[in-house]
Amino acid sequence: DIDMDKLFSNLSKGGCDHNLKKLALNFNNIHHSSSSSSKSIGNENIIKFFLNTKSLCHVELSSCKLNGIFIQ
């Protein structure tokens, strides 16, 4: 299980935005944390990460269960 809020909150803070070339999340149950008051907060972190990343060229999400994370 991967908590999208925690993952992308940490990734969007920087540090790996110039070096991360591949993000593989295959075979995970991807969800928002239950403590998150709004799904849009997590989505803002996701958007911020993808807008600021410099070297990411491959994202793998095969066989993931997304649990409606982008539905608001």
Side-chain angles (χ1 to χ4, degrees):
D1 280 353
I2 293 179
D3 185 322
M4 293 294 280
D5 295 324
K6 290 180 183 174
L7 174 67
F8 282 98
S9 173
N10 289 324
L11 287 173
S12 68
K13 290 177 184 173
C16 66
D17 49 349
H18 294 289
N19 300 318
L20 184 66
K21 294 182 189 324
K22 180 178 180 180
L23 180 61
L25 302 172
N26 300 334
F27 300 100
N28 281 289
N29 182 15
I30 300 173
H31 59 86
H32 276 289
S33 65
S34 57
S35 63
S36 176
S37 60
S38 169
K39 289 183 179 180
S40 64
I41 293 170
N43 291 345
E44 288 173 14
N45 286 330
I46 294 168
I47 292 166
K48 181 179 176 183
F49 168 73
F50 282 110
L51 288 175
N52 293 323
T53 189
K54 305 293 185 231
S55 61
L56 184 68
C57 56
H58 190 84
V59 177
E60 295 179 9
L61 294 170
S62 67
S63 301
C64 283
K65 186 174 182 182
L66 298 177
N67 292 329
I69 60 168
F70 295 106
I71 298 172
Q72 295 190 23

